[in-house]
Amino acid sequence: MDRTESLPAQTLPPGVGATDPGSVLLPGHDVPLGRYTTVRRLLPQRQRRMVGAWCFVDHFGPDDVAERPGMEVPPHPHTGLQTVTWLLDGEILHRDSLGNVQPIRPGQLNVMTSGRGIAHSERSPAAHPPLMHGVQLWVALPDPARAGDPDFAHHADLPRWRDGDWDLTLLVGEFGGQRSPAVAHTPLLGAQLEARGAAPATLPLRPDFEYGLLAMSGSADVDGVALAPGALLYLGTGRTALTLRAAPGSRLLLLGGAPFEEPLVMWWNFVGRSHEEVAAAREDWMAGRRFGTVADDAAPPLPAPALPTTRLKARDRSGGVRG
C-alpha cells in the first residue's frame, strides 16, 4: 500500500501510569489510501515506531463498498520490507512485478518480500463482497535480507485451534505449539484471537519480545485497560503472560517480536538505512529502473513525491535519531 508518514503524539490508557511506561495506547489517525479507502494508521507514531520488526500497522474498515469500487491502489514500489495482508471481510487482488496475480480473501494471508525492490498494486475486483475490513502491516527486513531477491507467498492454510472460549489463527511465527508457514527474517509473531464466549484468556508471552494488541472488531479489557475498536495497545517487553477479556465475536490481533535494533529511514514506500539509499530508490522508481512492471495492470504507476528539503534521518525503534 502507498504510504505517507504522519506521526501524532501518543496518550496513556486509563489505568496505565508512569510506573508502567512500557504500555501505551495508540488510538491511530486517519490516512487516505488511493481514491476510495481511508485507513487508521497505528504505527509508526511519534514515540513508538515499532513492535519488534513490525514497522507499519494500517487497519481499514469495516467499510460498506457495495456501491463503491473498494480498494484502488495503483502500481507502486517497495524496498527493505515485507507487506503482510490479512482480511476479515472482502477481497483484494494483488498483482506484482514478479508476475503474481493473486486474490486474497478472509482467512488467507499474503506476504510480499520486497528485498532490494518490488512493485505491486492492490485492487478490489469488479465483483466484490459488500464489506471490506482488514489490516496491512509492514515488517522491516534486517541485513542482509533487505538486499536480497524479492518474493511473494500466498498462504490459504494457516494453523488454527481453539483454546477455551477463544479461536486462534497463527499468521506469522510460533505460538501455542504451532508454527506458521509464512517466512519471517527476525523473531516475530502475528496471531488473530477471536472471542467465542465470555471466559478470559491468559496468553503465555516471551519476556524478550515486545508486544502490541490491536482491536480489529469488538472491544477488550487487557489487564484492566479498555481497548476500543481500531486502537493498538503497546505492551512493551518483560511480560510472561497477558490476561484479556472481550465481548463474544471480538477479533484481536496480537503482534510481537524481538526488539529490532537496526536504525531505519522510512519514507513513502521505502525502508532503508540512509538518506542516500532512499533517494536512490526514488530515483530508480521514477526512471523505470529496478522495480519492474506490475503484471496485468495497465494503470499508470504512482509517482513518488518530492523528497523533503532536509535530510532524512535514521531513527531507532522508539523514535530516537541515530547518526
Side-chain angles (χ1 to χ4, degrees):
M1 289 186 178
D2 175 48
R3 301 291 188 269
T4 301
E5 186 175 4
S6 177
L7 305 178
Q10 294 174 314
T11 58
L12 289 173
V16 176
T19 57
D20 187 12
S23 294
V24 181
L25 185 66
L26 306 176
H29 61 291
D30 290 345
V31 176
L33 182 69
R35 293 180 59 189
Y36 304 104
T37 303
T38 297
V39 302
R40 282 174 294 282
R41 182 145 305 155
L42 296 153
L43 284 180
Q45 297 202 27
R46 190 172 304 279
Q47 295 176 353
R48 175 48 51 191
R49 300 180 65 86
M50 304 179 74
V51 176
W54 302 103
C55 60
F56 250 102
V57 176
D58 277 358
H59 174 233
F60 51 91
D63 294 328
D64 183 350
V65 295
E67 304 298 329
R68 298 166 55 201
M71 186 171 289
E72 287 289 324
V73 184
H76 58 280
H78 287 294
T79 62
L81 58 85
Q82 290 178 302
T83 62
V84 177
T85 306
W86 176 252
L87 293 181
L88 282 71
D89 297 286
E91 181 177 344
I92 297 174
L93 187 60
H94 162 97
R95 299 178 174 94
D96 65 38
S97 52
L98 299 178
N100 296 293
V101 179
Q102 175 64 59
I104 180 173
R105 301 179 179 92
Q108 303 174 351
L109 188 72
N110 276 2
V111 179
M112 185 183 75
T113 303
S114 71
R116 60 181 173 272
I118 195 171
H120 75 145
S121 66
E122 297 153 299
R123 303 181 186 276
S124 298
H128 54 263
L131 288 178
M132 185 172 66
H133 187 193
V135 293
Q136 193 182 67
L137 312 107
W138 290 2
V139 179
L141 290 174
D143 292 328
R146 68 188 188 91
D149 293 335
D151 191 25
F152 173 80
H154 174 78
H155 301 287
D157 296 313
L158 295 166
R160 293 177 170 86
W161 68 99
R162 176 161 289 190
D163 185 353
D165 276 352
W166 293 77
D167 286 342
L168 290 86
T169 305
L170 183 58
L171 281 60
V172 180
E174 299 181 37
F175 193 67
Q178 305 285 333
R179 179 192 291 270
S180 167
V183 173
H185 295 271
T186 58
L188 207 63
L189 171 66
Q192 177 179 281
L193 317 172
E194 183 169 2
R196 292 299 189 183
T202 299
L203 307 176
L205 302 182
R206 289 179 50 168
D208 58 323
F209 272 26
E210 56 185 350
Y211 289 93
L213 191 68
L214 166 64
M216 297 183 292
S217 63
S219 58
D221 182 284
V222 185
D223 281 346
V225 177
L227 186 59
L232 175 70
L233 181 63
Y234 174 74
L235 297 165
T237 59
R239 296 175 182 257
T240 58
L242 181 69
T243 299
L244 56 92
R245 295 178 180 269
S250 298
R251 288 177 288 188
L252 315 174
L253 184 65
L254 179 65
L255 301 174
F260 191 88
E261 300 297 348
E262 298 179 31
L264 300 179
V265 174
M266 296 173 57
W267 179 83
W268 196 44
N269 296 312
F270 306 129
V271 174
R273 299 295 187 274
S274 68
H275 176 96
E276 289 75 16
E277 183 181 329
V278 170
R282 181 193 182 277
E283 182 178 347
D284 285 348
W285 173 248
M286 295 301 290
R289 300 188 296 262
R290 189 196 311 196
F291 297 95
T293 300
V294 173
D296 195 31
D297 193 325
L302 285 175
L307 283 165
T309 55
T310 57
R311 285 181 58 82
L312 300 168
K313 296 180 179 179
R315 296 180 180 273
D316 62 25
R317 60 192 178 90
S318 62
V321 176
R322 299 279 290 271

mmCIF file of all heavy atoms in Angstrom, residues 211-257:
data_model
loop_
_atom_site.group_PDB
_atom_site.id
_atom_site.type_symbol
_atom_site.label_atom_id
_atom_site.label_comp_id
_atom_site.label_asym_id
_atom_site.label_seq_id
_atom_site.Cartn_x
_atom_site.Cartn_y
_atom_site.Cartn_z
ATOM 1 N N TYR A 211 5.352 -6.501 22.603
ATOM 2 C CA TYR A 211 4.051 -6.897 22.065
ATOM 3 C C TYR A 211 3.147 -5.691 21.893
ATOM 4 O O TYR A 211 3.298 -4.654 22.560
ATOM 5 C CB TYR A 211 3.359 -7.885 23.019
ATOM 6 C CG TYR A 211 3.986 -9.246 23.075
ATOM 7 C CD1 TYR A 211 4.954 -9.539 24.037
ATOM 8 C CD2 TYR A 211 3.625 -10.248 22.176
ATOM 9 C CE1 TYR A 211 5.542 -10.797 24.103
ATOM 10 C CE2 TYR A 211 4.211 -11.504 22.232
ATOM 11 C CZ TYR A 211 5.166 -11.774 23.192
ATOM 12 O OH TYR A 211 5.747 -13.023 23.252
ATOM 13 N N GLY A 212 2.194 -5.850 20.994
ATOM 14 C CA GLY A 212 1.103 -4.906 20.827
ATOM 15 C C GLY A 212 -0.159 -5.680 20.535
ATOM 16 O O GLY A 212 -0.118 -6.771 19.941
ATOM 17 N N LEU A 213 -1.316 -5.145 20.958
ATOM 18 C CA LEU A 213 -2.595 -5.804 20.743
ATOM 19 C C LEU A 213 -3.542 -4.807 20.088
ATOM 20 O O LEU A 213 -3.801 -3.729 20.624
ATOM 21 C CB LEU A 213 -3.176 -6.301 22.065
ATOM 22 C CG LEU A 213 -4.381 -7.240 21.968
ATOM 23 C CD1 LEU A 213 -3.981 -8.585 21.361
ATOM 24 C CD2 LEU A 213 -4.998 -7.463 23.344
ATOM 25 N N LEU A 214 -4.061 -5.169 18.909
ATOM 26 C CA LEU A 214 -4.976 -4.340 18.129
ATOM 27 C C LEU A 214 -6.379 -4.920 18.205
ATOM 28 O O LEU A 214 -6.571 -6.119 17.959
ATOM 29 C CB LEU A 214 -4.513 -4.282 16.666
ATOM 30 C CG LEU A 214 -5.504 -3.742 15.634
ATOM 31 C CD1 LEU A 214 -5.835 -2.276 15.910
ATOM 32 C CD2 LEU A 214 -4.945 -3.910 14.223
ATOM 33 N N ALA A 215 -7.359 -4.087 18.557
ATOM 34 C CA ALA A 215 -8.757 -4.492 18.493
ATOM 35 C C ALA A 215 -9.266 -4.201 17.086
ATOM 36 O O ALA A 215 -9.472 -3.047 16.715
ATOM 37 C CB ALA A 215 -9.581 -3.739 19.530
ATOM 38 N N MET A 216 -9.440 -5.264 16.285
ATOM 39 C CA MET A 216 -9.928 -5.078 14.922
ATOM 40 C C MET A 216 -11.446 -4.944 14.899
ATOM 41 O O MET A 216 -12.001 -4.205 14.080
ATOM 42 C CB MET A 216 -9.472 -6.242 14.036
ATOM 43 C CG MET A 216 -7.975 -6.342 13.886
ATOM 44 S SD MET A 216 -7.451 -7.665 12.763
ATOM 45 C CE MET A 216 -7.916 -9.140 13.712
ATOM 46 N N SER A 217 -12.133 -5.681 15.772
ATOM 47 C CA SER A 217 -13.581 -5.548 15.919
ATOM 48 C C SER A 217 -13.949 -5.901 17.348
ATOM 49 O O SER A 217 -13.256 -6.685 18.005
ATOM 50 C CB SER A 217 -14.329 -6.458 14.937
ATOM 51 O OG SER A 217 -14.061 -7.821 15.191
ATOM 52 N N GLY A 218 -15.038 -5.334 17.848
ATOM 53 C CA GLY A 218 -15.403 -5.546 19.238
ATOM 54 C C GLY A 218 -14.489 -4.769 20.166
ATOM 55 O O GLY A 218 -13.750 -3.883 19.751
ATOM 56 N N SER A 219 -14.524 -5.095 21.428
ATOM 57 C CA SER A 219 -13.718 -4.401 22.430
ATOM 58 C C SER A 219 -13.117 -5.424 23.373
ATOM 59 O O SER A 219 -13.541 -6.582 23.421
ATOM 60 C CB SER A 219 -14.567 -3.399 23.202
ATOM 61 O OG SER A 219 -15.658 -4.058 23.833
ATOM 62 N N ALA A 220 -12.122 -4.974 24.121
ATOM 63 C CA ALA A 220 -11.422 -5.895 25.018
ATOM 64 C C ALA A 220 -10.983 -5.164 26.269
ATOM 65 O O ALA A 220 -10.842 -3.935 26.288
ATOM 66 C CB ALA A 220 -10.217 -6.509 24.309
ATOM 67 N N ASP A 221 -10.753 -5.935 27.318
ATOM 68 C CA ASP A 221 -10.142 -5.462 28.553
ATOM 69 C C ASP A 221 -8.823 -6.210 28.694
ATOM 70 O O ASP A 221 -8.801 -7.437 28.810
ATOM 71 C CB ASP A 221 -11.055 -5.723 29.752
ATOM 72 C CG ASP A 221 -10.456 -5.199 31.046
ATOM 73 O OD1 ASP A 221 -9.530 -5.850 31.573
ATOM 74 O OD2 ASP A 221 -10.920 -4.162 31.525
ATOM 75 N N VAL A 222 -7.737 -5.466 28.657
ATOM 76 C CA VAL A 222 -6.401 -6.064 28.653
ATOM 77 C C VAL A 222 -5.702 -5.696 29.950
ATOM 78 O O VAL A 222 -5.260 -4.554 30.121
ATOM 79 C CB VAL A 222 -5.585 -5.566 27.437
ATOM 80 C CG1 VAL A 222 -4.240 -6.292 27.373
ATOM 81 C CG2 VAL A 222 -6.360 -5.746 26.147
ATOM 82 N N ASP A 223 -5.626 -6.646 30.868
ATOM 83 C CA ASP A 223 -5.031 -6.372 32.174
ATOM 84 C C ASP A 223 -5.624 -5.113 32.803
ATOM 85 O O ASP A 223 -4.917 -4.283 33.382
ATOM 86 C CB ASP A 223 -3.506 -6.243 32.058
ATOM 87 C CG ASP A 223 -2.824 -7.601 31.968
ATOM 88 O OD1 ASP A 223 -3.482 -8.612 32.267
ATOM 89 O OD2 ASP A 223 -1.634 -7.640 31.592
ATOM 90 N N GLY A 224 -6.945 -4.929 32.664
ATOM 91 C CA GLY A 224 -7.622 -3.792 33.264
ATOM 92 C C GLY A 224 -7.670 -2.543 32.407
ATOM 93 O O GLY A 224 -8.238 -1.531 32.812
ATOM 94 N N VAL A 225 -7.087 -2.578 31.212
ATOM 95 C CA VAL A 225 -7.095 -1.435 30.300
ATOM 96 C C VAL A 225 -8.135 -1.683 29.213
ATOM 97 O O VAL A 225 -8.121 -2.732 28.557
ATOM 98 C CB VAL A 225 -5.705 -1.207 29.673
ATOM 99 C CG1 VAL A 225 -5.747 -0.070 28.666
ATOM 100 C CG2 VAL A 225 -4.683 -0.931 30.757
ATOM 101 N N ALA A 226 -9.058 -0.738 28.998
ATOM 102 C CA ALA A 226 -10.087 -0.867 27.966
ATOM 103 C C ALA A 226 -9.476 -0.591 26.597
ATOM 104 O O ALA A 226 -8.799 0.418 26.395
ATOM 105 C CB ALA A 226 -11.229 0.099 28.246
ATOM 106 N N LEU A 227 -9.736 -1.497 25.656
ATOM 107 C CA LEU A 227 -9.215 -1.369 24.299
ATOM 108 C C LEU A 227 -10.390 -1.287 23.343
ATOM 109 O O LEU A 227 -11.163 -2.232 23.204
ATOM 110 C CB LEU A 227 -8.319 -2.565 23.957
ATOM 111 C CG LEU A 227 -7.564 -2.518 22.623
ATOM 112 C CD1 LEU A 227 -6.649 -1.304 22.554
ATOM 113 C CD2 LEU A 227 -6.759 -3.806 22.427
ATOM 114 N N ALA A 228 -10.559 -0.139 22.687
ATOM 115 C CA ALA A 228 -11.677 0.101 21.780
ATOM 116 C C ALA A 228 -11.318 -0.334 20.366
ATOM 117 O O ALA A 228 -10.134 -0.468 20.029
ATOM 118 C CB ALA A 228 -12.041 1.586 21.800
ATOM 119 N N PRO A 229 -12.332 -0.562 19.511
ATOM 120 C CA PRO A 229 -12.054 -0.961 18.131
ATOM 121 C C PRO A 229 -11.173 0.054 17.408
ATOM 122 O O PRO A 229 -11.359 1.266 17.540
ATOM 123 C CB PRO A 229 -13.447 -1.028 17.496
ATOM 124 C CG PRO A 229 -14.388 -1.236 18.628
ATOM 125 C CD PRO A 229 -13.780 -0.507 19.790
ATOM 126 N N GLY A 230 -10.179 -0.441 16.681
ATOM 127 C CA GLY A 230 -9.295 0.421 15.920
ATOM 128 C C GLY A 230 -8.158 1.025 16.702
ATOM 129 O O GLY A 230 -7.446 1.891 16.193
ATOM 130 N N ALA A 231 -7.937 0.579 17.951
ATOM 131 C CA ALA A 231 -6.825 1.094 18.767
ATOM 132 C C ALA A 231 -5.815 -0.014 19.012
ATOM 133 O O ALA A 231 -6.152 -1.200 19.045
ATOM 134 C CB ALA A 231 -7.335 1.646 20.095
ATOM 135 N N LEU A 232 -4.558 0.381 19.167
ATOM 136 C CA LEU A 232 -3.461 -0.548 19.412
ATOM 137 C C LEU A 232 -2.860 -0.242 20.777
ATOM 138 O O LEU A 232 -2.504 0.909 21.064
ATOM 139 C CB LEU A 232 -2.388 -0.404 18.326
ATOM 140 C CG LEU A 232 -1.109 -1.227 18.491
ATOM 141 C CD1 LEU A 232 -1.391 -2.707 18.283
ATOM 142 C CD2 LEU A 232 -0.039 -0.750 17.501
ATOM 143 N N LEU A 233 -2.744 -1.253 21.618
ATOM 144 C CA LEU A 233 -2.111 -1.106 22.928
ATOM 145 C C LEU A 233 -0.714 -1.694 22.853
ATOM 146 O O LEU A 233 -0.548 -2.902 22.661
ATOM 147 C CB LEU A 233 -2.932 -1.805 24.009
ATOM 148 C CG LEU A 233 -2.385 -1.717 25.436
ATOM 149 C CD1 LEU A 233 -2.345 -0.269 25.918
ATOM 150 C CD2 LEU A 233 -3.212 -2.579 26.387
ATOM 151 N N TYR A 234 0.289 -0.824 22.984
ATOM 152 C CA TYR A 234 1.677 -1.287 23.029
ATOM 153 C C TYR A 234 1.969 -1.777 24.437
ATOM 154 O O TYR A 234 1.691 -1.078 25.423
ATOM 155 C CB TYR A 234 2.636 -0.158 22.646
ATOM 156 C CG TYR A 234 4.084 -0.537 22.818
ATOM 157 C CD1 TYR A 234 4.700 -1.399 21.925
ATOM 158 C CD2 TYR A 234 4.834 -0.028 23.870
ATOM 159 C CE1 TYR A 234 6.032 -1.762 22.083
ATOM 160 C CE2 TYR A 234 6.163 -0.379 24.039
ATOM 161 C CZ TYR A 234 6.753 -1.246 23.142
ATOM 162 O OH TYR A 234 8.065 -1.605 23.304
ATOM 163 N N LEU A 235 2.538 -2.994 24.550
ATOM 164 C CA LEU A 235 2.678 -3.669 25.842
ATOM 165 C C LEU A 235 4.114 -3.760 26.334
ATOM 166 O O LEU A 235 4.354 -4.252 27.435
ATOM 167 C CB LEU A 235 2.082 -5.077 25.753
ATOM 168 C CG LEU A 235 0.577 -5.126 25.467
ATOM 169 C CD1 LEU A 235 0.148 -6.515 25.039
ATOM 170 C CD2 LEU A 235 -0.192 -4.687 26.701
ATOM 171 N N GLY A 236 5.078 -3.340 25.517
ATOM 172 C CA GLY A 236 6.460 -3.364 25.958
ATOM 173 C C GLY A 236 7.034 -4.770 26.051
ATOM 174 O O GLY A 236 6.488 -5.735 25.503
ATOM 175 N N THR A 237 8.147 -4.893 26.782
ATOM 176 C CA THR A 237 8.840 -6.167 26.947
ATOM 177 C C THR A 237 8.740 -6.609 28.404
ATOM 178 O O THR A 237 8.238 -5.904 29.265
ATOM 179 C CB THR A 237 10.313 -6.044 26.553
ATOM 180 O OG1 THR A 237 10.922 -5.034 27.375
ATOM 181 C CG2 THR A 237 10.468 -5.664 25.095
ATOM 182 N N GLY A 238 9.266 -7.804 28.686
ATOM 183 C CA GLY A 238 9.374 -8.284 30.050
ATOM 184 C C GLY A 238 8.158 -9.017 30.566
ATOM 185 O O GLY A 238 8.159 -9.458 31.718
ATOM 186 N N ARG A 239 7.114 -9.195 29.766
ATOM 187 C CA ARG A 239 5.904 -9.894 30.213
ATOM 188 C C ARG A 239 6.025 -11.392 29.928
ATOM 189 O O ARG A 239 6.504 -11.798 28.865
ATOM 190 C CB ARG A 239 4.667 -9.355 29.498
ATOM 191 C CG ARG A 239 4.346 -7.897 29.809
ATOM 192 C CD ARG A 239 3.177 -7.404 28.970
ATOM 193 N NE ARG A 239 2.870 -6.004 29.210
ATOM 194 C CZ ARG A 239 1.853 -5.566 29.949
ATOM 195 N NH1 ARG A 239 1.032 -6.453 30.513
ATOM 196 N NH2 ARG A 239 1.644 -4.276 30.122
ATOM 197 N N THR A 240 5.542 -12.181 30.848
ATOM 198 C CA THR A 240 5.495 -13.631 30.639
ATOM 199 C C THR A 240 4.085 -14.125 30.360
ATOM 200 O O THR A 240 3.908 -15.272 29.942
ATOM 201 C CB THR A 240 6.055 -14.376 31.861
ATOM 202 O OG1 THR A 240 5.298 -14.012 33.019
ATOM 203 C CG2 THR A 240 7.522 -14.021 32.073
ATOM 204 N N ALA A 241 3.083 -13.273 30.590
ATOM 205 C CA ALA A 241 1.693 -13.658 30.344
ATOM 206 C C ALA A 241 0.855 -12.400 30.195
ATOM 207 O O ALA A 241 1.244 -11.309 30.626
ATOM 208 C CB ALA A 241 1.142 -14.518 31.485
ATOM 209 N N LEU A 242 -0.307 -12.562 29.577
ATOM 210 C CA LEU A 242 -1.244 -11.468 29.360
ATOM 211 C C LEU A 242 -2.653 -12.014 29.547
ATOM 212 O O LEU A 242 -3.019 -13.029 28.951
ATOM 213 C CB LEU A 242 -1.089 -10.909 27.946
ATOM 214 C CG LEU A 242 -1.995 -9.742 27.570
ATOM 215 C CD1 LEU A 242 -1.609 -8.496 28.346
ATOM 216 C CD2 LEU A 242 -1.916 -9.485 26.064
ATOM 217 N N THR A 243 -3.450 -11.336 30.379
ATOM 218 C CA THR A 243 -4.833 -11.735 30.594
ATOM 219 C C THR A 243 -5.755 -10.727 29.929
ATOM 220 O O THR A 243 -5.586 -9.509 30.090
ATOM 221 C CB THR A 243 -5.156 -11.804 32.096
ATOM 222 O OG1 THR A 243 -4.301 -12.769 32.707
ATOM 223 C CG2 THR A 243 -6.602 -12.209 32.326
ATOM 224 N N LEU A 244 -6.723 -11.231 29.169
ATOM 225 C CA LEU A 244 -7.642 -10.336 28.478
ATOM 226 C C LEU A 244 -9.040 -10.932 28.440
ATOM 227 O O LEU A 244 -9.232 -12.150 28.474
ATOM 228 C CB LEU A 244 -7.145 -10.028 27.068
ATOM 229 C CG LEU A 244 -6.872 -11.192 26.111
ATOM 230 C CD1 LEU A 244 -8.100 -11.510 25.280
ATOM 231 C CD2 LEU A 244 -5.709 -10.863 25.197
ATOM 232 N N ARG A 245 -10.009 -10.037 28.388
ATOM 233 C CA ARG A 245 -11.413 -10.378 28.200
ATOM 234 C C ARG A 245 -11.929 -9.609 27.002
ATOM 235 O O ARG A 245 -11.472 -8.495 26.729
ATOM 236 C CB ARG A 245 -12.241 -10.010 29.437
ATOM 237 C CG ARG A 245 -11.913 -10.785 30.695
ATOM 238 C CD ARG A 245 -12.752 -10.291 31.860
ATOM 239 N NE ARG A 245 -12.461 -11.021 33.098
ATOM 240 C CZ ARG A 245 -13.100 -12.114 33.487
ATOM 241 N NH1 ARG A 245 -14.087 -12.593 32.717
ATOM 242 N NH2 ARG A 245 -12.796 -12.731 34.609
ATOM 243 N N ALA A 246 -12.923 -10.178 26.329
ATOM 244 C CA ALA A 246 -13.516 -9.493 25.189
ATOM 245 C C ALA A 246 -14.943 -9.968 25.005
ATOM 246 O O ALA A 246 -15.295 -11.100 25.381
ATOM 247 C CB ALA A 246 -12.711 -9.744 23.915
ATOM 248 N N ALA A 247 -15.779 -9.104 24.420
ATOM 249 C CA ALA A 247 -17.143 -9.489 24.108
ATOM 250 C C ALA A 247 -17.125 -10.575 23.041
ATOM 251 O O ALA A 247 -16.267 -10.569 22.143
ATOM 252 C CB ALA A 247 -17.916 -8.274 23.607
ATOM 253 N N PRO A 248 -18.041 -11.552 23.115
ATOM 254 C CA PRO A 248 -18.087 -12.600 22.085
ATOM 255 C C PRO A 248 -18.155 -11.996 20.685
ATOM 256 O O PRO A 248 -18.887 -11.039 20.438
ATOM 257 C CB PRO A 248 -19.357 -13.375 22.441
ATOM 258 C CG PRO A 248 -19.510 -13.180 23.916
ATOM 259 C CD PRO A 248 -19.043 -11.777 24.175
ATOM 260 N N GLY A 249 -17.360 -12.555 19.790
ATOM 261 C CA GLY A 249 -17.284 -12.056 18.427
ATOM 262 C C GLY A 249 -16.167 -11.070 18.190
ATOM 263 O O GLY A 249 -15.853 -10.754 17.034
ATOM 264 N N SER A 250 -15.549 -10.564 19.260
ATOM 265 C CA SER A 250 -14.444 -9.625 19.108
ATOM 266 C C SER A 250 -13.246 -10.321 18.475
ATOM 267 O O SER A 250 -12.945 -11.474 18.784
ATOM 268 C CB SER A 250 -14.037 -9.035 20.466
ATOM 269 O OG SER A 250 -15.094 -8.315 21.051
ATOM 270 N N ARG A 251 -12.564 -9.592 17.605
ATOM 271 C CA ARG A 251 -11.369 -10.126 16.950
ATOM 272 C C ARG A 251 -10.198 -9.191 17.211
ATOM 273 O O ARG A 251 -10.257 -8.001 16.909
ATOM 274 C CB ARG A 251 -11.615 -10.317 15.455
ATOM 275 C CG ARG A 251 -12.546 -11.479 15.155
ATOM 276 C CD ARG A 251 -12.854 -11.649 13.692
ATOM 277 N NE ARG A 251 -13.731 -10.593 13.193
ATOM 278 C CZ ARG A 251 -14.286 -10.585 11.976
ATOM 279 N NH1 ARG A 251 -14.033 -11.584 11.133
ATOM 280 N NH2 ARG A 251 -15.075 -9.596 11.598
ATOM 281 N N LEU A 252 -9.154 -9.765 17.777
ATOM 282 C CA LEU A 252 -7.968 -9.019 18.177
ATOM 283 C C LEU A 252 -6.770 -9.536 17.402
ATOM 284 O O LEU A 252 -6.719 -10.708 17.020
ATOM 285 C CB LEU A 252 -7.722 -9.166 19.679
ATOM 286 C CG LEU A 252 -8.935 -9.005 20.597
ATOM 287 C CD1 LEU A 252 -8.538 -9.329 22.038
ATOM 288 C CD2 LEU A 252 -9.514 -7.616 20.496
ATOM 289 N N LEU A 253 -5.793 -8.666 17.202
ATOM 290 C CA LEU A 253 -4.554 -9.051 16.530
ATOM 291 C C LEU A 253 -3.403 -8.836 17.489
ATOM 292 O O LEU A 253 -3.136 -7.712 17.914
ATOM 293 C CB LEU A 253 -4.352 -8.227 15.260
ATOM 294 C CG LEU A 253 -3.133 -8.590 14.408
ATOM 295 C CD1 LEU A 253 -3.270 -10.003 13.837
ATOM 296 C CD2 LEU A 253 -2.951 -7.586 13.272
ATOM 297 N N LEU A 254 -2.726 -9.928 17.842
ATOM 298 C CA LEU A 254 -1.559 -9.873 18.712
ATOM 299 C C LEU A 254 -0.304 -9.830 17.852
ATOM 300 O O LEU A 254 -0.066 -10.731 17.041
ATOM 301 C CB LEU A 254 -1.520 -11.096 19.631
ATOM 302 C CG LEU A 254 -0.333 -11.196 20.584
ATOM 303 C CD1 LEU A 254 -0.348 -10.069 21.619
ATOM 304 C CD2 LEU A 254 -0.306 -12.560 21.277
ATOM 305 N N LEU A 255 0.491 -8.783 18.024
ATOM 306 C CA LEU A 255 1.749 -8.619 17.311
ATOM 307 C C LEU A 255 2.889 -8.659 18.311
ATOM 308 O O LEU A 255 2.787 -8.103 19.408
ATOM 309 C CB LEU A 255 1.781 -7.287 16.558
ATOM 310 C CG LEU A 255 0.686 -7.065 15.517
ATOM 311 C CD1 LEU A 255 0.770 -5.649 14.971
ATOM 312 C CD2 LEU A 255 0.790 -8.090 14.390
ATOM 313 N N GLY A 256 3.986 -9.290 17.943
ATOM 314 C CA GLY A 256 5.134 -9.346 18.831
ATOM 315 C C GLY A 256 6.405 -9.619 18.064
ATOM 316 O O GLY A 256 6.387 -9.985 16.888
ATOM 317 N N GLY A 257 7.514 -9.444 18.756
ATOM 318 C CA GLY A 257 8.785 -9.747 18.137
ATOM 319 C C GLY A 257 9.940 -9.267 18.985
ATOM 320 O O GLY A 257 9.780 -8.455 19.910
#
